[in-house]
Coordinates of all heavy atoms in Angstrom, one line a residue:
M293 N 9.5 31.0 20.7 CA 8.6 32.0 21.1 C 7.2 31.6 20.4 O 7.2 31.4 19.2 CB 9.1 33.3 20.6 CG 8.2 34.5 21.0 SD 9.0 36.0 20.8 CE 8.2 36.6 19.4
K294 N 6.2 31.7 21.1 CA 4.8 31.3 20.6 C 4.2 32.6 19.9 O 4.3 33.7 20.4 CB 4.0 30.8 21.8 CG 2.7 30.3 21.3 CD 1.9 29.7 22.4 CE 0.5 29.4 21.9 NZ -0.1 28.2 22.3
Q295 N 3.6 32.3 18.8 CA 2.9 33.3 18.1 C 1.6 33.7 18.6 O 0.8 32.8 19.0 CB 2.8 32.8 16.6 CG 2.3 33.9 15.6 CD 2.2 33.4 14.2 OE1 1.8 32.3 14.0 NE2 2.6 34.2 13.3
T296 N 1.2 34.9 18.8 CA -0.1 35.3 19.3 C -1.2 35.1 18.3 O -0.9 34.9 17.1 CB -0.1 36.8 19.7 OG1 0.1 37.6 18.5 CG2 1.0 37.2 20.7
R297 N -2.4 35.0 18.7 CA -3.5 34.8 17.8 C -3.6 36.0 16.8 O -3.9 35.7 15.6 CB -4.8 34.7 18.6 CG -5.0 33.4 19.3 CD -6.3 33.4 20.0 NE -6.5 32.2 20.8 CZ -7.3 31.2 20.4 NH1 -8.0 31.3 19.3 NH2 -7.4 30.1 21.1
L298 N -3.3 37.2 17.2 CA -3.4 38.3 16.3 C -2.3 38.2 15.2 O -2.6 38.4 14.0 CB -3.2 39.6 17.1 CG -3.1 40.9 16.2 CD1 -4.4 41.1 15.4 CD2 -2.8 42.1 17.0
M299 N -1.1 37.8 15.6 CA 0.0 37.7 14.6 C -0.3 36.5 13.7 O 0.1 36.5 12.5 CB 1.3 37.6 15.3 CG 1.8 38.8 15.9 SD 1.7 40.3 14.8 CE 2.8 39.8 13.5
S300 N -0.9 35.5 14.2 CA -1.3 34.3 13.4 C -2.4 34.8 12.3 O -2.3 34.4 11.2 CB -1.9 33.2 14.2 OG -2.3 32.1 13.5
L301 N -3.3 35.6 12.7 CA -4.3 36.1 11.8 C -3.6 37.0 10.7 O -3.9 36.9 9.5 CB -5.4 36.9 12.6 CG -6.4 37.6 11.7 CD1 -7.2 36.7 10.9 CD2 -7.3 38.5 12.5
V302 N -2.7 37.9 11.2 CA -2.0 38.7 10.3 C -1.2 37.9 9.2 O -1.2 38.2 8.0 CB -1.1 39.7 11.0 CG1 -0.1 40.4 10.1 CG2 -1.9 40.7 11.8
E303 N -0.6 36.9 9.7 CA 0.2 36.0 8.8 C -0.7 35.3 7.8 O -0.4 35.2 6.6 CB 0.9 35.0 9.7 CG 1.7 34.0 8.8 CD 2.4 32.9 9.6 OE1 2.3 32.8 10.9 OE2 3.1 32.1 9.0
S304 N -1.8 34.9 8.3 CA -2.8 34.2 7.4 C -3.3 35.1 6.4 O -3.4 34.7 5.1 CB -3.9 33.6 8.3 OG -4.8 32.9 7.4
V305 N -3.7 36.3 6.7 CA -4.2 37.3 5.8 C -3.1 37.6 4.7 O -3.4 37.7 3.5 CB -4.8 38.5 6.5 CG1 -5.1 39.6 5.5 CG2 -6.0 38.1 7.3
A306 N -2.0 37.9 5.2 CA -0.8 38.2 4.3 C -0.6 37.1 3.3 O -0.3 37.3 2.1 CB 0.4 38.5 5.1
N307 N -0.7 35.8 3.8 CA -0.5 34.6 3.0 C -1.5 34.6 1.9 O -1.2 34.3 0.7 CB -0.5 33.4 3.9 CG -0.1 32.2 3.1 OD1 0.5 32.2 2.1 ND2 -0.6 31.0 3.6
V308 N -2.8 34.9 2.2 CA -3.8 34.9 1.2 C -3.6 36.0 0.2 O -3.7 35.8 -1.1 CB -5.2 35.0 1.9 CG1 -6.3 35.3 0.8 CG2 -5.5 33.8 2.7
I309 N -3.2 37.2 0.6 CA -3.0 38.3 -0.3 C -1.8 38.0 -1.2 O -2.0 38.2 -2.4 CB -2.7 39.6 0.5 CG1 -4.1 40.0 1.2 CG2 -2.3 40.7 -0.4 CD1 -3.9 41.1 2.2
V310 N -0.8 37.5 -0.7 CA 0.4 37.1 -1.5 C 0.0 36.0 -2.5 O 0.4 36.1 -3.7 CB 1.6 36.7 -0.7 CG1 2.7 36.1 -1.5 CG2 2.1 37.9 0.1
G311 N -0.7 35.0 -2.1 CA -1.1 33.9 -3.0 C -2.0 34.4 -4.1 O -1.9 34.0 -5.2
Y312 N -2.9 35.3 -3.8 CA -3.8 35.9 -4.8 C -2.9 36.7 -5.8 O -3.1 36.5 -7.0 CB -4.8 36.8 -4.1 CG -5.7 37.6 -5.1 CD1 -6.7 36.9 -5.8 CD2 -5.5 39.0 -5.3 CE1 -7.5 37.6 -6.7 CE2 -6.3 39.6 -6.2 CZ -7.3 39.0 -6.8 OH -8.1 39.7 -7.7
G313 N -2.0 37.5 -5.3 CA -1.2 38.2 -6.2 C -0.3 37.3 -7.1 O -0.2 37.6 -8.3
V314 N 0.3 36.3 -6.6 CA 1.0 35.3 -7.4 C 0.1 34.7 -8.4 O 0.6 34.5 -9.6 CB 1.7 34.3 -6.4 CG1 2.2 33.1 -7.2 CG2 2.8 34.9 -5.6
A315 N -1.1 34.3 -8.1 CA -2.0 33.7 -9.0 C -2.2 34.6 -10.2 O -2.2 34.2 -11.4 CB -3.3 33.3 -8.3
V316 N -2.6 35.8 -9.9 CA -2.9 36.8 -10.9 C -1.7 37.1 -11.8 O -1.8 37.1 -13.1 CB -3.5 38.1 -10.3 CG1 -3.7 39.2 -11.4 CG2 -4.8 37.8 -9.7
V317 N -0.6 37.4 -11.2 CA 0.6 37.7 -12.0 C 1.0 36.4 -12.9 O 1.3 36.6 -14.1 CB 1.8 38.1 -11.1 CG1 3.1 38.2 -11.9 CG2 1.5 39.4 -10.5
T318 N 0.9 35.2 -12.3 CA 1.2 34.0 -13.1 C 0.3 33.9 -14.3 O 0.7 33.6 -15.4 CB 1.1 32.8 -12.2 OG1 2.0 33.0 -11.1 CG2 1.4 31.5 -13.0
Q319 N -1.0 34.1 -14.1 CA -1.9 34.1 -15.2 C -1.6 35.1 -16.3 O -1.6 34.8 -17.5 CB -3.4 34.3 -14.7 CG -3.9 33.2 -13.8 CD -5.1 33.7 -13.0 OE1 -5.4 33.1 -12.1 NE2 -5.7 34.8 -13.4
I320 N -1.3 36.3 -15.9 CA -1.0 37.4 -16.9 C 0.3 37.0 -17.7 O 0.3 37.2 -18.9 CB -0.8 38.7 -16.1 CG1 -2.1 39.2 -15.6 CG2 -0.1 39.7 -17.0 CD1 -2.0 40.4 -14.6
L321 N 1.2 36.3 -17.0 CA 2.5 36.0 -17.7 C 2.4 34.7 -18.5 O 2.9 34.5 -19.6 CB 3.6 35.8 -16.7 CG 4.0 37.1 -16.0 CD1 5.1 36.8 -14.9 CD2 4.5 38.2 -17.0
I322 N 1.6 33.7 -18.0 CA 1.6 32.4 -18.6 C 0.5 32.2 -19.7 O 0.7 31.5 -20.7 CB 1.5 31.3 -17.5 CG1 2.7 31.4 -16.6 CG2 1.3 29.9 -18.1 CD1 4.0 31.2 -17.2
F323 N -0.7 32.7 -19.4 CA -1.8 32.5 -20.3 C -1.5 32.8 -21.8 O -1.8 32.0 -22.7 CB -3.1 33.2 -19.9 CG -3.8 32.6 -18.7 CD1 -3.3 31.5 -18.1 CD2 -5.0 33.1 -18.4 CE1 -4.0 30.8 -17.0 CE2 -5.7 32.4 -17.3 CZ -5.2 31.4 -16.7
P324 N -0.9 34.0 -22.1 CA -0.5 34.3 -23.5 C 0.4 33.3 -24.2 O 0.3 33.0 -25.4 CB 0.1 35.7 -23.4 CG -0.4 36.3 -22.1 CD -0.5 35.1 -21.2
I325 N 1.2 32.6 -23.4 CA 2.1 31.6 -24.0 C 1.3 30.4 -24.6 O 1.7 29.8 -25.6 CB 3.1 31.1 -22.9 CG1 4.0 32.2 -22.5 CG2 3.8 29.8 -23.4 CD1 4.9 31.8 -21.3
F326 N 0.1 30.2 -24.0 CA -0.8 29.1 -24.4 C -1.9 29.6 -25.3 O -2.9 28.9 -25.6 CB -1.3 28.4 -23.3 CG -0.3 27.6 -22.5 CD1 0.3 28.1 -21.4 CD2 0.2 26.4 -22.9 CE1 1.3 27.4 -20.7 CE2 1.1 25.6 -22.2 CZ 1.7 26.2 -21.1
G327 N -1.8 30.9 -25.8 CA -2.8 31.4 -26.6 C -4.1 31.9 -26.0 O -5.1 32.1 -26.6
L328 N -4.0 32.0 -24.6 CA -5.2 32.5 -23.9 C -5.1 34.0 -23.6 O -4.1 34.4 -23.0 CB -5.3 31.7 -22.6 CG -5.4 30.2 -22.7 CD1 -5.3 29.5 -21.4 CD2 -6.7 29.8 -23.4
H329 N -6.0 34.7 -24.1 CA -5.9 36.2 -23.9 C -7.1 36.6 -23.1 O -8.3 36.5 -23.5 CB -5.9 36.9 -25.3 CG -4.8 36.4 -26.1 ND1 -3.5 36.8 -25.9 CD2 -4.7 35.6 -27.2 CE1 -2.6 36.3 -26.8 NE2 -3.4 35.5 -27.6
T330 N -6.8 37.1 -21.9 CA -7.8 37.5 -20.9 C -7.6 39.0 -20.5 O -6.5 39.5 -20.6 CB -7.8 36.6 -19.7 OG1 -6.4 36.7 -19.1 CG2 -8.1 35.2 -20.0
T331 N -8.7 39.5 -20.0 CA -8.6 40.9 -19.6 C -8.1 40.9 -18.1 O -8.1 39.9 -17.5 CB -9.9 41.6 -19.6 OG1 -10.8 40.9 -18.7 CG2 -10.5 41.6 -21.0
L332 N -7.7 42.1 -17.6 CA -7.3 42.2 -16.2 C -8.4 41.8 -15.3 O -8.2 41.1 -14.3 CB -6.8 43.6 -15.9 CG -6.3 43.8 -14.5 CD1 -5.2 42.9 -14.1 CD2 -6.0 45.3 -14.2
A333 N -9.6 42.2 -15.6 CA -10.8 41.9 -14.8 C -11.0 40.3 -14.8 O -11.3 39.8 -13.7 CB -12.0 42.5 -15.3
Q334 N -10.8 39.7 -15.9 CA -11.0 38.2 -15.9 C -9.8 37.6 -15.1 O -10.1 36.6 -14.3 CB -10.9 37.7 -17.4 CG -12.1 38.1 -18.2 CD -12.0 37.7 -19.6 OE1 -10.9 37.8 -20.2 NE2 -13.0 37.3 -20.3
N335 N -8.6 38.1 -15.2 CA -7.5 37.5 -14.4 C -7.8 37.7 -12.9 O -7.5 36.8 -12.1 CB -6.2 38.2 -14.8 CG -5.6 37.6 -16.0 OD1 -5.6 36.3 -16.2 ND2 -5.2 38.4 -16.9
L336 N -8.3 38.9 -12.5 CA -8.6 39.1 -11.1 C -9.7 38.2 -10.6 O -9.6 37.7 -9.5 CB -9.0 40.6 -10.9 CG -7.9 41.6 -11.1 CD1 -8.5 43.0 -11.1 CD2 -6.8 41.5 -10.1
K337 N -10.7 38.0 -11.4 CA -11.8 37.0 -11.0 C -11.3 35.6 -10.9 O -11.6 34.9 -9.9 CB -12.9 37.1 -12.0 CG -13.7 38.4 -11.9 CD -14.8 38.4 -13.0 CE -15.5 39.8 -13.1 NZ -16.4 39.9 -14.2
M338 N -10.5 35.2 -11.9 CA -9.9 33.8 -11.8 C -9.0 33.7 -10.6 O -9.0 32.6 -9.9 CB -9.2 33.4 -13.1 CG -10.2 33.1 -14.3 SD -9.3 32.5 -15.7 CE -8.7 34.1 -16.4
G339 N -8.2 34.7 -10.4 CA -7.3 34.6 -9.2 C -8.1 34.5 -7.9 O -7.7 33.8 -7.0
A340 N -9.2 35.2 -7.8 CA -10.1 35.1 -6.6 C -10.7 33.6 -6.5 O -10.7 33.1 -5.4 CB -11.2 36.0 -6.7
I341 N -11.1 33.0 -7.6 CA -11.6 31.7 -7.6 C -10.5 30.7 -7.1 O -10.7 29.8 -6.3 CB -12.1 31.3 -8.9 CG1 -13.4 32.1 -9.2 CG2 -12.4 29.8 -9.0 CD1 -13.9 32.0 -10.7
F342 N -9.3 30.8 -7.7 CA -8.1 30.0 -7.3 C -7.8 30.1 -5.9 O -7.5 29.2 -5.2 CB -6.9 30.2 -8.2 CG -7.1 29.9 -9.6 CD1 -6.4 30.6 -10.6 CD2 -7.9 28.8 -10.0 CE1 -6.6 30.3 -12.0 CE2 -8.0 28.5 -11.3 CZ -7.4 29.2 -12.3
T343 N -7.9 31.4 -5.4 CA -7.5 31.6 -4.0 C -8.6 31.0 -3.1 O -8.2 30.4 -2.0 CB -7.4 33.2 -3.7 OG1 -6.4 33.7 -4.5 CG2 -7.1 33.5 -2.3
I344 N -9.8 31.1 -3.4 CA -10.9 30.5 -2.6 C -10.7 29.0 -2.6 O -10.8 28.3 -1.5 CB -12.3 30.9 -3.1 CG1 -12.5 32.4 -2.8 CG2 -13.4 30.0 -2.5 CD1 -13.7 33.0 -3.6
L345 N -10.4 28.4 -3.7 CA -10.3 26.9 -3.8 C -9.0 26.5 -3.0 O -9.1 25.5 -2.3 CB -10.1 26.5 -5.3 CG -11.4 26.6 -6.1 CD1 -11.1 26.3 -7.6 CD2 -12.5 25.7 -5.5
C346 N -8.0 27.3 -3.1 CA -6.8 27.0 -2.3 C -7.1 27.0 -0.8 O -6.6 26.2 0.0 CB -5.7 27.9 -2.7 SG -4.1 27.6 -1.8
R347 N -7.8 28.0 -0.4 CA -8.1 28.1 1.1 C -9.0 27.0 1.5 O -8.9 26.4 2.6 CB -8.8 29.5 1.4 CG -8.0 30.7 1.2 CD -6.6 30.6 2.0 NE -6.8 30.4 3.4 CZ -5.8 30.0 4.2 NH1 -4.6 29.9 3.7 NH2 -6.0 29.8 5.4
A348 N -10.0 26.6 0.6 CA -10.8 25.5 1.0 C -10.0 24.2 1.1 O -10.2 23.4 2.0 CB -11.9 25.3 -0.1
R349 N -9.1 24.0 0.2 CA -8.2 22.8 0.3 C -7.4 22.9 1.6 O -7.3 21.9 2.3 CB -7.2 22.8 -0.9 CG -6.3 21.6 -0.9 CD -5.3 21.7 -2.0 NE -4.1 20.8 -1.8 CZ -3.1 21.1 -1.0 NH1 -3.0 22.3 -0.5 NH2 -2.1 20.3 -0.8
H350 N -6.8 24.0 1.9 CA -6.0 24.2 3.1 C -6.9 23.8 4.4 O -6.4 23.1 5.2 CB -5.5 25.6 3.3 CG -4.8 25.8 4.5 ND1 -3.6 25.5 4.8 CD2 -5.3 26.5 5.7 CE1 -3.3 25.8 6.1 NE2 -4.3 26.4 6.6
N351 N -8.1 24.3 4.4 CA -9.0 24.1 5.5 C -9.4 22.6 5.6 O -9.5 22.0 6.7 CB -10.3 24.9 5.4 CG -10.0 26.4 5.6 OD1 -8.9 26.8 6.2 ND2 -10.8 27.3 5.2
T352 N -9.5 21.9 4.5 CA -9.8 20.5 4.5 C -8.7 19.7 5.0 O -8.9 18.8 5.9 CB -10.1 20.0 3.0 OG1 -11.3 20.8 2.6 CG2 -10.5 18.6 3.0
V353 N -7.4 20.0 4.6 CA -6.3 19.3 5.1 C -6.1 19.6 6.6 O -5.8 18.7 7.4 CB -5.0 19.8 4.4 CG1 -3.7 19.3 5.0 CG2 -5.1 19.3 2.9
Y354 N -6.4 20.8 7.0 CA -6.3 21.1 8.5 C -7.3 20.3 9.3 O -7.0 19.7 10.3 CB -6.5 22.6 8.7 CG -6.6 23.0 10.1 CD1 -5.3 23.2 10.8 CD2 -7.7 23.3 10.8 CE1 -5.4 23.5 12.2 CE2 -7.8 23.6 12.1 CZ -6.6 23.8 12.8 OH -6.6 24.2 14.1
A355 N -8.5 20.2 8.8 CA -9.5 19.5 9.5 C -9.2 18.0 9.5 O -9.3 17.3 10.6 CB -10.9 19.6 8.8
E356 N -8.7 17.4 8.4 CA -8.3 16.0 8.4 C -7.1 15.8 9.4 O -7.2 14.8 10.2 CB -7.7 15.6 7.0 CG -8.8 15.6 6.0 CD -8.3 15.3 4.6 OE1 -7.0 15.4 4.4 OE2 -9.1 15.2 3.6
R357 N -6.2 16.7 9.5 CA -5.1 16.6 10.5 C -5.6 16.6 11.9 O -5.2 15.8 12.7 CB -4.1 17.7 10.2 CG -2.8 17.5 11.0 CD -1.8 18.7 10.8 NE -1.5 18.7 9.4 CZ -1.5 19.9 8.7 NH1 -1.7 21.0 9.3 NH2 -1.1 19.9 7.4
R358 N -6.5 17.5 12.2 CA -7.1 17.6 13.5 C -7.9 16.3 13.9 O -7.8 15.8 15.0 CB -8.1 18.8 13.6 CG -7.4 20.1 13.5 CD -6.5 20.4 14.7 NE -7.2 20.3 15.9 CZ -7.3 21.3 16.8 NH1 -6.6 22.4 16.6 NH2 -7.9 21.1 17.9
I359 N -8.6 15.8 12.9 CA -9.4 14.5 13.1 C -8.4 13.4 13.4 O -8.6 12.6 14.3 CB -10.3 14.2 11.9 CG1 -11.4 15.2 11.9 CG2 -10.8 12.8 12.0 CD1 -12.2 15.2 10.6
M360 N -7.4 13.2 12.6 CA -6.4 12.2 12.8 C -5.7 12.3 14.1 O -5.5 11.3 14.8 CB -5.4 12.1 11.6 CG -6.0 11.8 10.3 SD -6.9 10.2 10.3 CE -5.6 9.1 10.3
R361 N -5.3 13.5 14.5 CA -4.6 13.7 15.8 C -5.5 13.5 17.0 O -5.0 13.2 18.1 CB -4.0 15.1 15.8 CG -2.8 15.2 14.9 CD -2.2 16.5 15.1 NE -1.0 16.6 14.2 CZ -0.3 17.7 13.9 NH1 -0.7 18.8 14.5 NH2 0.7 17.7 13.1
S362 N -6.8 13.5 16.8 CA -7.8 13.4 17.9 C -8.0 11.9 18.2 O -8.5 11.5 19.3 CB -9.1 14.0 17.6 OG -9.8 13.4 16.6
R363 N -7.6 11.0 17.3 CA -7.8 9.6 17.4 C -6.5 9.0 18.0 O -5.5 9.0 17.3 CB -8.2 9.0 16.1 CG -9.5 9.5 15.6 CD -9.9 8.9 14.3 NE -10.2 7.5 14.5 CZ -10.3 6.7 13.5 NH1 -10.0 7.0 12.3 NH2 -10.6 5.4 13.7
P364 N -6.5 8.4 19.1 CA -5.3 7.8 19.7 C -4.7 6.7 18.9 O -5.5 5.8 18.4 CB -5.8 7.2 21.1 CG -7.1 7.8 21.3 CD -7.7 8.2 20.0
G365 N -3.4 6.8 18.6 CA -2.7 5.7 17.9 C -2.9 5.8 16.4 O -2.3 5.0 15.7
V366 N -3.7 6.7 15.9 CA -3.9 6.8 14.4 C -3.2 8.0 13.9 O -3.3 9.1 14.3 CB -5.4 7.0 14.1 CG1 -5.6 7.1 12.6 CG2 -6.2 5.8 14.6
G367 N -2.3 7.7 12.8 CA -1.6 8.7 12.2 C -0.4 9.2 13.0 O 0.3 10.2 12.6
V368 N 0.0 8.6 14.1 CA 1.1 8.9 14.8 C 2.1 7.8 14.9 O 1.7 6.7 15.2 CB 0.7 9.3 16.3 CG1 1.9 9.7 17.1 CG2 -0.3 10.4 16.3
A369 N 3.3 8.0 14.5 CA 4.3 7.0 14.5 C 4.6 6.6 16.0 O 4.9 7.4 16.8 CB 5.6 7.4 13.8
S370 N 4.7 5.3 16.2 CA 5.0 4.8 17.5 C 6.5 4.6 17.6 O 7.2 4.1 16.7 CB 4.3 3.4 17.8 OG 3.0 3.6 17.8
I371 N 7.1 5.0 18.8 CA 8.5 4.8 18.9 C 8.8 3.8 20.0 O 8.2 3.7 21.0 CB 9.2 6.1 19.4 CG1 9.0 7.2 18.2 CG2 10.6 6.0 19.7 CD1 9.5 8.6 18.5

């Protein structure tokens, strides 16, 4: 079954929200182990930065994949 554009958007937004939450919770749990003490506001800001960087990386990989697939015979295994 093919996913609709709307559901693809919903999935993407949910993925970003979950990733942001995981980043913030991870920071809150891990930073003190390394002696880093941050406020909730600082964790939220760092989580936002990490999320933006992650999305930028994802978009770069997606663009590279599209470029490679648009070139005949490049990046595709021949059978």
